Amino acid sequence: PKFRQFSAAIDKALRSFESTSEWADLISALGKLSKVLHTYPQFPVVPKKYTIGKRLSQCTHPALPSGCHLKALEVYDLIFVRIGTTGLSSDIFIYASGLFPLMSTAAMNVRPYLLNIYEKHFLPLRHHLSPALQGLLLALLPGLEEGSEHTVRIQALLVSVCE
């Protein structure tokens, strides 16, 4: 019964994305989704993961402001903590479509949070990262701009991926 409530609450939160007309509405919808994930921490899975992945990907669109990107990254983090490395290794393709293109257009204040996601959730996948490795490498390369404050951190991430 509790899982059904969780699933219904996820559905309701996802419906709030349908009536968005500006970026502030997207942040509000992400907040509702975040609240549902916080309310039901006992489940190691996320219902409607494909729809959630699609909505999160839409929230990392380059035309949206950094506040929207940051809120989306917060929800990604909540999901990845919940599903763990086992869940992420099987669902990486669902979430990568929103995360991998973000580095090239992300504002400077978003990049540290994106790198945290990669370090905290993607590096522990080790050999399970193989199917998404090319995408991850291409995602990191735009951050290697000369003089960027994140260059050293990205280089360390690349070295860790190679190990």
Side-chain angles (χ1 to χ4, degrees), residues 34-48:
S34 176
K35 184 177 179 188
V36 171
L37 292 169
H38 278 296
T39 304
Y40 297 92
Q42 66 269 39
F43 301 109
V45 295
V46 178
K48 310 284 185 189

Side-chain angles (χ1 to χ4, degrees), residues 105-149:
T105 59
M108 283 302 181
N109 66 323
V110 173
R111 288 183 176 194
Y113 295 96
L114 181 58
L115 292 173
N116 284 342
I117 296 268
Y118 291 150
E119 292 163 348
K120 182 178 171 186
H121 301 292
F122 283 61
L123 281 183
L125 294 176
R126 316 265 335 133
H127 68 280
H128 295 290
L129 189 57
S130 295
L133 187 58
Q134 183 178 2
L136 178 63
L137 294 175
L138 290 172
L140 292 172
L141 290 177
L144 287 175
E145 302 164 351
E146 193 173 325
S148 167
E149 61 193 69

Side-chain angles (χ1 to χ4, degrees), residues 8-132:
I10 290 283
D11 276 336
K12 185 177 178 184
L14 287 171
R15 277 194 300 277
S16 66
F17 282 91
E18 294 170 11
S19 60
T20 58
S21 60
E22 58 183 41
W23 62 265
D25 297 334
L26 287 173
I27 292 175
S28 173
L30 286 167
K32 290 174 185 173
L33 185 56
S34 176
K35 184 177 179 188
V36 171
L37 292 169
H38 278 296
T39 304
Y40 297 92
Q42 66 269 39
F43 301 109
V45 295
V46 178
K48 310 284 185 189
K49 60 187 175 184
Y50 296 103
T51 307
I52 290 173
K54 180 178 83 171
R55 293 301 186 190
L56 288 173
S57 180
Q58 290 170 338
C59 292
T60 60
H61 188 278
L64 294 171
S66 62
C68 195
H69 295 165
L70 290 169
K71 193 67 176 173
L73 290 175
E74 178 187 313
V75 176
Y76 275 115
D77 186 53
L78 286 171
I79 290 170
F80 296 164
V81 166
R82 176 181 297 262
I83 65 176
T85 53
T86 305
L88 182 56
S89 67
S90 62
D91 293 345
I92 194 166
F93 64 96
I94 297 171
Y95 303 108
S97 63
L99 288 172
F100 288 172
L102 186 57
M103 181 67 76
S104 62
T105 59
M108 283 302 181
N109 66 323
V110 173
R111 288 183 176 194
Y113 295 96
L114 181 58
L115 292 173
N116 284 342
I117 296 268
Y118 291 150
E119 292 163 348
K120 182 178 171 186
H121 301 292
F122 283 61
L123 281 183
L125 294 176
R126 316 265 335 133
H127 68 280
H128 295 290
L129 189 57
S130 295

